[in-house]
């Protein structure tokens, strides 16, 4: 499976944030049904993100006011 939702970057923290978001999304999809996933709002989706496990992703989202 190929994920093409990110711009290319050479900024290390952005790269790790992108990888963490993909990892989080894969784990979330494995734990929920398709109907549950498609009903999630952005706020509900990001509420599942564990700040300790995905610190780069959370920092990036806070910087961009996505959280």
């Amino acid at each position: 499976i190929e994920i093409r939702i990110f711009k290319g970057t050479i900024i290390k923290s952005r790269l790790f944030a992108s990888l963490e978001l993909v990892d989080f999304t894969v784990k979330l999809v494995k734990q929920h049904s398709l109907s549950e996933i498609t009903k999630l709002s952005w706020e509900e989706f990001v509420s599942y993100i564990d700040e300790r496990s995905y610190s780069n992703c959370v920092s990036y989202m806070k910087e961009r006011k996505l959280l």
Side-chain angles (χ1 to χ4, degrees):
I1 294 179
E2 188 173 345
I3 309 290
R4 289 188 183 202
I5 58 173
F6 307 107
K7 288 179 17 178
T9 185
I10 59 171
I11 301 169
K12 188 177 175 180
S13 61
R14 248 185 235 173
L15 173 63
F16 284 123
S18 298
L19 292 173
E20 287 176 0
L21 181 60
V22 170
D23 181 63
F24 164 73
T25 303
V26 168
K27 288 178 180 174
L28 186 73
V29 168
K30 285 182 177 182
Q31 295 173 359
H32 295 83
S33 69
L34 180 60
S35 63
E36 291 173 319
I37 296 295
T38 56
K39 291 177 187 173
L40 287 176
S41 67
W42 175 253
E43 290 78 16
E44 292 169 327
F45 176 78
V46 297
S47 72
Y48 286 104
I49 298 175
D50 176 24
E51 194 163 350
R52 290 171 288 148
S53 299
Y54 300 104
S55 60
N56 292 295
C57 184
V58 170
S59 294
Y60 179 82
M61 289 183 172
K62 284 181 178 177
E63 287 172 15
R64 305 273 177 303
K65 298 186 181 2
L66 298 171
L67 281 181

